[in-house]
Amino acid sequence: GVQVFALTSEPDAPGARSRYFDGIYVVPNGRDEPEQLCRRLMEIAEEHPRGQKPVIFPTRDFDVLFLQEYRETLASCYLLPQPRDSAILKMMDKFELSAVAARVGIPTPKTMSCKSAAEIECQVPALRFPLIVKPRYAYQWRRSGLWEKVGAQKAIIVETVEELRSLYHRLADVTQEVLLQEYVPGEDRDIVVCCCFIAEGAGLLGHFTARKLRQNPPLTGTGS
């Protein structure tokens, strides 16, 4: 009895197909055209009954940031799932999340942030290869043009100092900051997650566990 509509900038995406959708809206990509997306969402709101705000659910990291940035405008027509100062925003920062894990005693790979070739050289004596090079925020490498430059992968494994220098030189013209992280060897299927929904005052309302079977490219790509 609840109407559900999909919002997508890629009509051919698998997620844009479901027998449970009452309709599909093709909208601008919030990563590349946030202002246009905001305007389109306000137009869509006019097509639905007044006084009954739809809930809008983000499905990508960048959608979470988009809803935060345009909160004041969208909140007049939509119910937004995350509060203004949601902890989700801190969790999306991989460097901050690593620091929080270390503070509370959760074992985590050594992680450092570098914003220039000079900073990388300063860290070289303390580095232990192989390393993972990744963005501080996942969405940063997803921007148009950069995703292809990083080989359509979420992180890059480097085996030597020379590889690290060469990679940073290739990335520096489009992204200054990178994270260097100790590489923990393993297979794709060694990655497991537990996702929970915990409501304030109500405790754990739902959860699921999952194991990643494969990703493309292997070890550093997107689940496939």
Side-chain angles (χ1 to χ4, degrees):
V2 177
Q3 286 189 310
V4 179
F5 296 86
L7 301 166
T8 180
S9 61
E10 301 174 5
D12 59 344
R17 292 171 172 80
S18 172
R19 64 183 180 276
Y20 296 110
F21 290 152
D22 292 280
I24 298 173
Y25 290 104
V26 178
V27 299
N29 191 324
R31 185 184 58 222
D32 304 318
E33 302 176 299
E35 292 184 6
Q36 292 89 327
L37 175 58
C38 183
R39 284 198 297 269
R40 181 65 184 122
L41 289 176
M42 298 304 288
E43 292 170 358
I44 291 172
E46 293 293 326
E47 302 174 18
H48 295 270
R50 292 295 185 92
Q52 189 176 10
K53 293 182 178 181
V55 182
I56 185 166
F57 291 100
T59 59
R60 306 176 302 172
D61 286 2
F62 200 86
D63 296 332
V64 174
L65 297 175
F66 167 79
L67 293 181
Q68 182 72 9
E69 184 175 352
Y70 290 88
R71 166 179 291 277
E72 298 303 324
T73 300
L74 295 173
S76 64
C77 296
Y78 292 94
L79 294 176
L80 306 180
Q82 74 245 21
R84 184 182 305 277
D85 298 319
S86 171
I88 292 174
L89 298 171
K90 290 184 178 180
M91 291 172 62
M92 290 169 59
D93 182 338
K94 297 178 186 296
F95 188 57
E96 173 67 18
L97 184 60
S98 174
V100 170
R103 284 200 299 271
V104 298
I106 298 174
T108 185
K110 183 178 180 180
T111 305
M112 59 191 70
S113 168
C114 293
K115 297 181 180 179
S116 68
E119 288 189 11
I120 286 179
E121 292 301 325
C122 288
Q123 296 291 351
V124 164
L127 299 179
R128 186 171 63 181
F129 290 86
L131 292 175
I132 283 281
V133 181
K134 61 173 64 173
R136 182 163 182 166
Y137 296 88
Y139 72 86
Q140 290 173 316
W141 282 14
R142 297 269 183 173
R143 293 185 183 277
S144 179
L146 183 54
W147 185 235
E148 294 75 21
K149 183 166 286 193
V150 298
Q153 53 191 332
K154 297 187 290 185
I156 298 173
I157 301 174
V158 293
E159 301 281 351
T160 65
V161 173
E162 289 71 25
E163 283 185 33
L164 175 59
R165 289 168 178 156
S166 176
L167 174 63
Y168 187 79
H169 179 73
R170 195 169 88 233
L171 299 179
D173 60 333
V174 286
T175 177
Q176 291 293 314
E177 184 175 21
V178 296
L179 293 189
L180 308 181
Q181 191 170 67
E182 177 186 7
Y183 175 59
V184 179
E187 302 299 325
D188 290 342
R189 62 181 297 108
D190 293 332
I191 300 173
V192 295
V193 296
C194 178
C195 301
C196 308
F197 180 79
I198 302 173
E200 187 174 0
L204 180 66
L205 297 184
H207 75 281
F208 69 86
T209 58
R211 178 188 297 275
K212 180 174 283 190
L213 298 181
R214 60 184 180 183
Q215 52 192 350
N216 184 34
L219 300 181
T220 58
T222 301
S224 58

